[in-house]
Amino acid sequence: MTHTASPEMILTPPSVPTVAVRGTESRFPVNRIFCVGRNYAAHAREMGMEVDRESPFYFTKSACCIVASGATVPYPPGTSNYHHEMELVVAIDKPAFCVAIEDALEVVFGYACGLDMTRRDLQLEARDKGRPWDLGKNFEDSAVISTLITASESGHIDRGDISLSVNNEVRQSGDISDLIWSVPELIADLSKYYHLRPGDLLYTGTPAGVGPVEAGDVITGSIERVGSIEFTIAT
Ligand code: MN
């Protein structure tokens, strides 16, 4: 009998995070999570920043930050200002490098509702000191995601209501058409800097109305033609 020897791992490798694909038994494996900063003018203003069309900017979250809609998670450590950010998420299923804007949607598998949960106090301290945003953005359970809807089912998402409520009170309400950088523009730009790969996710930024949540709060959000999301902070 012959077989290919494989090296013994000193640890059990962590499993790849996955996202359910709506209406199927299939799952989408998550490779990387890219996030866009300040991509709605009203949100940029509420963060005390100028709006510009110079270029988009990005930060990342580890794939292991993914948590499915419906989860209940503890209030995270190290913060006293834990914020919701409701976002359209784009799921990429083809390689893309230096892709043209007009070709960018060809690499989009589908869309989801996402929450870019943020330790705002740590993010703003980092921002104001010129430090990386990781402590504020890249932490356990910080990338909440709904099931994915395929683009063939939803059509490409370039407009429509995006909203978020906390305990049934509306906090964020906007329209996808107000994105400063559209989905094709973001993919074209990001692919100048990265070889985008199947499994990459892109959180496209949040509309105005971000704010704190507390233990026991229930966050619900929706995006027209995409779906809905729910996330509960444990008591
Ligand atoms: Mn965000």
Side-chain angles (χ1 to χ4, degrees):
M1 191 178 99
T2 60
H3 66 277
T4 304
S6 57
E8 187 174 335
M9 298 288 180
I10 61 154
L11 303 170
T12 304
S15 57
V16 174
T18 62
V19 181
V21 179
R22 202 170 316 157
T24 77
E25 298 295 309
S26 303
R27 298 190 68 88
F28 179 94
V30 178
N31 183 46
R32 290 176 292 190
I33 305 172
F34 297 99
C35 305
V36 185
R38 294 177 215 137
N39 202 20
Y40 290 81
H43 172 63
R45 282 193 295 271
E46 77 180 348
M47 298 304 290
M49 306 306 281
E50 294 294 319
V51 180
D52 68 59
R53 282 273 306 176
E54 192 179 319
S55 62
F57 73 93
Y58 309 96
F59 56 92
T60 59
K61 298 192 185 221
S62 306
C64 61
C65 297
I66 283 286
V67 59
S69 173
T72 298
V73 307
Y75 194 94
T79 183
S80 55
N81 197 16
Y82 179 40
H83 271 211
H84 56 77
E85 294 193 0
M86 178 70 197
E87 311 204 357
L88 173 67
V89 183
V90 179
I92 291 168
D93 71 343
K94 295 180 187 70
F97 182 63
C98 290
V99 65
I101 292 173
E102 54 269 29
D103 298 328
L105 291 176
E106 292 174 16
V107 307
V108 175
F109 171 75
Y111 297 90
C113 298
L115 297 171
D116 165 17
M117 298 304 294
T118 300
R119 294 192 281 211
R120 188 72 70 202
D121 39 4
L122 299 188
Q123 183 217 359
L124 294 184
E125 181 183 10
R127 186 190 77 183
D128 295 343
K129 290 181 174 175
R131 293 174 178 168
W133 287 11
D134 296 59
L135 287 180
K137 290 291 195 178
N138 186 8
F139 57 97
E140 292 92 344
D141 300 323
S142 66
V144 193
I145 193 164
S146 71
T147 58
L148 284 166
I149 187 167
T150 62
S152 56
E153 189 166 338
S154 63
H156 285 293
I157 305 300
D158 57 1
R159 70 198 69 217
D161 291 334
I162 174 170
S163 65
L164 176 143
S165 297
V166 177
N167 304 329
N168 292 318
E169 180 184 320
V170 177
R171 296 267 194 96
Q172 292 188 268
S173 182
D175 197 287
I176 298 296
S177 63
D178 292 330
L179 283 171
I180 295 171
W181 299 95
S182 69
V183 170
E185 287 173 329
L186 290 170
I187 292 170
D189 183 73
L190 190 60
S191 77
K192 294 176 189 169
Y193 301 97
Y194 295 93
H195 294 77
L196 296 179
R197 291 184 50 199
D200 288 341
L201 296 176
L202 177 59
Y203 282 62
T204 58
T206 196
V210 300
V213 290
E214 306 289 346
D217 283 350
V218 178
I219 302 170
T220 52
S222 64
I223 301 173
E224 193 176 341
R225 291 193 289 140
V226 175
S228 61
I229 191 167
E230 182 172 324
F231 188 56
T232 302
I233 318 306
T235 52

